[in-house]
């Protein structure tokens, strides 16, 4: 949560109606904070429930490969080959649904998921091969700071990867205004205080539905 003060001076000098935007900016800040919190599970690569980093050779879900048509195919195959817990004969047959990239890779990601034909790695490659990756959803995360890391996610409905829990089920942030002239900031400093509160926690549930390409 965070607070924002509205002073008498701000009220007197408000020619552009910026005061009315304070609650909007607080709400936007809350949404951005939640957005970054979720995607940090991928970019941060912290240890998960098995005490191993989310992306690790033990999990068979990280590959040294720059984003390309062939690299997406490689990670797709790795995802399809993931097996269930304690049973290597239980092939899960998961397939990618979402391609997540930093903004440096936005254009290439768009081409890979939109082109009707495959994008060859060399000019001499075929130009009429159907593109198996066409139709993937792609998400650009401007928050990512590593221009080389990209991710493939399976359908969350089939393999939930990250779970976010909200306090008492409140998925939307709560906004409060302290404006009683007899108490608090209005009485002490002639300030109206806006407060926003958004309480949540998250965890990685499963590593098998996510693959990382990195350099």
């Amino acid at each position: 949560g965070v607070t924002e003060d509205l002073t008498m001076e701000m009220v007197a000098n408000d020619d552009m109606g910026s005061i009315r935007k304070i609650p909007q900016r607080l709400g936007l800040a809350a949404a951005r904070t939640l957005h970054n919190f979720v995607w940090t599970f991928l970019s941060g690569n912290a240890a998960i429930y098995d005490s191993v980093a989310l992306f690790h050779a033990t999990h068979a879900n990280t590959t040294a490969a720059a984003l390309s048509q062939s690299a997406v195919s490689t990670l797709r195959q790795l995802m399809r080959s993931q097996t269930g817990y304690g049973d290597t004969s239980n092939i899960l047959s998961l397939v990618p649904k979402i391609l997540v990239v930093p903004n440096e890779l936005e254009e290439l990601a768009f081409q890979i998921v939109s082109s009707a034909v495959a994008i060859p790695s060399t000019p001499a490659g075929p130009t009429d091969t159907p593109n198996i990756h066409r139709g993937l959803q792609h998400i650009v995360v401007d928050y990512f700071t590593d221009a080389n890391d990209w991710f493939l996610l399976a359908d969350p409905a089939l393999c939930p990867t990250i779970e976010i829990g909200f306090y008492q089920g409140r998925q939307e942030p709560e906004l409060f205004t302290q404006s009683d002239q007899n108490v608090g900031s209005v009485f002490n400093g002639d300030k109206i205080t806006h407060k926003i509160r958004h309480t949540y926690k998250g965890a990685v549930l499963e590593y098998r539905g996510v693959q990382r390409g990195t350099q």
Side-chain angles (χ1 to χ4, degrees), residues 115-133:
S115 176
V117 295
I119 303 173
S121 58
T122 62
T127 58
D128 58 352
T129 304
N131 178 18
I132 191 174
H133 308 303

Side-chain angles (χ1 to χ4, degrees), residues 9-107:
E9 292 81 4
M10 293 170 63
V11 174
N13 296 325
D14 183 39
D15 297 327
M16 302 298 294
S18 60
I19 292 173
R20 294 192 299 269
K21 296 180 181 179
I22 290 177
Q24 179 182 358
R25 290 199 298 266
L26 288 173
L28 181 60
R32 186 179 294 115
T33 301
L34 175 58
H35 173 273
N36 296 348
F37 174 77
V38 171
W39 291 118
T40 296
F41 283 107
L42 299 186
S43 62
N45 195 30
I48 58 173
Y49 53 85
D50 59 358
S51 301
V52 178
L54 171 59
F55 299 105
H56 193 276
T58 302
H59 294 156
N61 66 350
T62 183
T63 303
L67 179 63
S68 67
Q69 173 92 29
S70 58
V72 175
S73 295
T74 298
L75 269 63
R76 176 188 174 93
Q77 182 179 1
L78 289 171
M79 183 179 291
R80 293 193 67 110
S81 300
Q82 290 281 13
T83 59
Y85 175 74
D87 185 1
T88 57
S89 66
N90 179 21
I91 307 297
L92 299 179
S93 300
L94 299 171
V95 295
K97 182 177 182 179
I98 305 169
L99 172 62
V100 183
V101 298
N103 54 30
E104 290 88 350
L105 299 176
E106 178 181 14
E107 184 173 359

Side-chain angles (χ1 to χ4, degrees), residues 175-188:
L175 182 65
F176 306 91
T177 302
Q178 199 283 308
S179 58
D180 190 331
Q181 297 185 11
N182 297 315
V183 296
S185 60
V186 182
F187 181 80
N188 295 326

